[in-house]
Amino acid sequence: MFPPSMQLCQRCVRLLRRGMISVITIKHPPTNYAAAFQQPLDDHTTSMKRMCSSLTLHRNLHSGQRSSLTSKGTFGVGARRGLCESAAQHCQLKQHDCEEPEARSIIPHKQGQAPSIKLPLTALVDLEDVPRLSALEEISDEEAIQIVVPHALPPTSFSLRDYVDQSETLTKLVQLGVDLWKLEQRPNVGSMLVRLDFQSDVAPRLLFLKDLGVQDGQLGSIITTNPFILTEELDKLKARVSYLKAKKFSSSSIASMVSKAPYLLNFNIKRMDNRLGFYQVTLGLNSEKTRDIITRLPRLLCGSLEPVKENLKVYELEFGFRTNEIQHMVTEVPKILTANKTKLNKIFNYIHNTMGIPHSLIAKFPQVLNTQFLRIKERHLFLKYLGRAQYDPAEPNYISLERLVKLPDDVFCTSVALATVDDFECFQKTL
């Protein structure tokens, strides 16, 4: 061990920890250090000789300093500083010299070759007792350049891009195809995702969706639409799936419903039960047809019932459809329950009042109410220009609503209008 008066700087401690130098201490230092270090030591190893020569070089370099050695036989400040420089020079020795067995031990002098004043040597330094590095230690510019400081997460940011590299959760979500740029525009969603742990929060819910039957390519779009499913309790999610299965929804139907309406499993069982009962009672449908329209349009269980009630009144009171006609239209095209009221009025008035098509034909092909208004208007006017606007099934050259709106332009022109696509495009320019 070192005597209490012996001290080492932090650079020497680092070198000693790396096992690159061996240090000796002197219990009874001689009066003449230079003479003692210059005596031949035949039995010393190569590493020991180089250490002695380094210390001698240190004495020569610092001979003009008053604090190089003290009269009491202990190392002074200059000696300790020189030891650091000598140790740094010793670190440049070849690797095989440092790995020699002799470099790890100190061999005493032979009796006949010992100097006139013996130098009792102690064991190597016990590195466990050496004080740890201090944060207040002064280091050189070269050492400061080599310090690598990890990038800290910004306390605030307007984009999740700054957190992707440091967050495993965000990295995995990007790999799944989640559009983070959409989520960061929603309030409080970005901070929620940053706080989530992938292994404990995200992975169990992804596995739950996989077990449900959701495809890998749909996970990204589901989370992009409904990121709050990552914070829902697994027990509640499983209970809602069990309820749907109890209502005789198949596993494939449930997986399809979750993919089309990602918010479906965020609603409690009571809400879903009320929605199912409303559609079955109001529309007068049996259980099988009710399950069919819900499977095809699962957002009926997620959205508000007010737009649905308003559209049903429009079909019955304003348009004049009978109950059985409304039932048929809803089972054929469930989307008309949530269609925009203004769009419905515009299309119905043009088809019924301008084109003269009765309710029965509209109810027979309700898809016309879900078509673009401009598409209907352009094709009707083109047929009227050609003199082929005939929509009465009892008359020759009858054109059904399905052929009017469903066929693509080239097929419509050749088979329905009996004209060319160029003629139809030239006519569109006159509108």
Side-chain angles (χ1 to χ4, degrees):
M1 299 296 177
F2 282 117
S5 59
M6 182 62 178
Q7 298 181 5
L8 291 178
C9 69
Q10 297 295 337
R11 186 181 293 113
C12 292
V13 172
R14 288 197 296 270
L15 295 175
L16 288 173
R17 285 177 176 164
R18 297 172 186 172
M20 302 180 67
I21 64 172
S22 299
V23 178
I24 60 174
T25 57
I26 303 174
K27 289 184 177 179
H28 304 286
T31 56
N32 189 350
Y33 288 94
F37 283 122
Q38 292 173 359
Q39 292 293 332
L41 302 175
D42 295 337
D43 288 345
H44 276 215
T45 61
T46 304
S47 300
M48 199 64 201
K49 291 178 180 179
R50 288 175 179 169
M51 177 61 74
C52 294
S53 61
S54 298
L55 294 176
T56 304
L57 177 62
H58 155 70
R59 184 194 61 80
N60 295 332
L61 291 176
H62 296 273
S63 59
Q65 301 179 10
R66 292 182 298 176
S67 59
S68 62
L69 295 174
T70 60
S71 58
K72 294 182 181 181
T74 59
F75 286 104
V77 177
R80 292 197 298 271
R81 192 175 303 159
L83 177 59
C84 300
E85 297 174 358
S86 302
Q89 295 177 2
H90 184 69
C91 291
Q92 300 176 359
L93 296 177
K94 295 181 179 180
Q95 183 67 22
H96 69 273
D97 291 338
C98 296
E99 295 177 354
E100 293 178 356
E102 293 84 1
R104 301 187 183 92
S105 61
I106 300 177
I107 302 176
H109 309 301
K110 288 185 178 180
Q111 186 67 24
Q113 296 179 351
S116 56
I117 302 176
K118 295 182 180 180
L119 300 176
L121 302 179
T122 62
L124 296 179
V125 178
D126 188 0
L127 298 181
E128 297 296 333
D129 296 338
V130 177
R132 296 292 180 181
L133 299 179
S134 174
L136 302 178
E137 174 194 1
E138 295 184 3
I139 59 176
S140 62
D141 295 339
E142 292 77 6
E143 292 176 331
I145 294 175
Q146 297 177 359
I147 296 177
V148 179
V149 180
H151 297 286
L153 291 175
T156 57
S157 177
F158 293 99
S159 175
L160 291 174
R161 179 180 56 186
D162 300 331
Y163 300 92
V164 173
D165 294 336
Q166 289 81 16
S167 174
E168 181 186 6
T169 299
L170 297 181
T171 302
K172 298 293 185 181
L173 291 180
V174 171
Q175 294 174 357
L176 288 173
V178 178
D179 296 327
L180 295 182
W181 66 272
K182 293 182 179 180
L183 296 180
E184 66 188 12
Q185 298 176 3
R186 303 171 62 176
N188 302 324
V189 174
S191 58
M192 178 194 73
L193 294 177
V194 172
R195 292 193 298 266
L196 291 178
D197 181 74
F198 182 80
Q199 298 299 331
S200 60
D201 300 326
V202 181
R205 286 150 184 83
L206 294 179
L207 293 176
F208 167 78
L209 294 176
K210 286 281 294 177
D211 295 338
L212 196 61
V214 178
Q215 301 297 324
D216 294 343
Q218 297 174 335
L219 293 175
S221 60
I222 290 176
I223 298 176
T224 301
T225 305
N226 179 23
F228 303 104
I229 197 173
L230 300 178
T231 59
E232 283 288 325
E233 297 181 8
L234 280 175
D235 295 337
K236 293 182 178 179
L237 295 176
K238 294 178 181 178
R240 293 159 190 170
V241 172
S242 300
Y243 168 78
L244 293 175
K245 290 183 178 180
K247 293 298 180 178
K248 298 183 179 181
F249 285 93
S250 63
S251 299
S252 58
S253 299
I254 297 175
S256 176
M257 291 165 60
V258 173
S259 301
K260 294 178 182 178
Y263 277 98
L264 177 63
L265 297 181
N266 283 60
F267 297 105
N268 55 44
I269 296 176
K270 184 178 180 181
R271 179 189 176 98
M272 290 190 290
D273 189 67
N274 291 335
R275 296 291 191 279
L276 288 175
F278 168 80
Y279 292 115
Q280 185 171 359
V281 173
T282 304
L283 299 176
L285 303 176
N286 55 28
S287 300
E288 183 178 357
K289 290 185 177 181
T290 304
R291 283 193 299 268
D292 179 67
I293 64 173
I294 295 299
T295 302
R296 293 163 59 189
L297 193 66
R299 67 183 184 186
L300 292 175
L301 296 180
C302 304
S304 174
L305 293 178
E306 295 303 322
V308 176
K309 294 178 181 179
E310 187 174 357
N311 283 350
L312 290 176
K313 291 181 180 179
V314 168
Y315 294 135
E316 183 179 2
L317 301 179
E318 295 186 21
F319 296 167
F321 287 102
R322 295 190 296 268
T323 303
N324 61 337
E325 292 176 338
I326 296 176
Q327 290 177 347
H328 176 74
M329 290 191 299
V330 169
T331 54
E332 290 292 326
V333 186
K335 195 174 181 180
I336 64 174
L337 289 174
T338 58
N340 182 268
K341 180 181 175 181
T342 303
K343 177 183 176 181
L344 287 175
N345 277 289
K346 191 175 183 180
I347 293 176
F348 177 80
N349 288 331
Y350 190 84
I351 293 175
H352 182 65
N353 299 325
T354 303
M355 297 173 60
I357 299 178
H359 290 81
S360 60
L361 294 180
I362 298 176
K364 188 176 180 180
F365 185 71
Q367 185 64 38
V368 69
L369 298 175
N370 196 37
T371 310
Q372 294 182 359
F373 173 76
L374 184 60
R375 185 185 186 92
I376 300 173
K377 182 179 179 180
E378 288 178 346
R379 294 190 175 188
H380 168 68
L381 293 177
F382 184 59
L383 291 175
K384 186 177 180 181
Y385 173 77
L386 298 175
R388 298 186 58 83
Q390 175 56 258
Y391 307 112
D392 188 358
E395 300 292 333
N397 300 325
Y398 164 70
I399 298 176
S400 65
L401 291 178
E402 182 178 4
R403 299 184 68 194
L404 177 68
V405 301
K406 191 175 181 180
L407 297 177
D409 287 343
D410 54 345
V411 179
F412 167 77
C413 293
T414 57
S415 63
V416 178
L418 303 180
T420 62
V421 179
D422 294 337
D423 295 337
F424 183 53
E425 292 177 352
C426 292
F427 177 80
Q428 288 176 319
K429 295 178 181 178
T430 62
L431 298 178

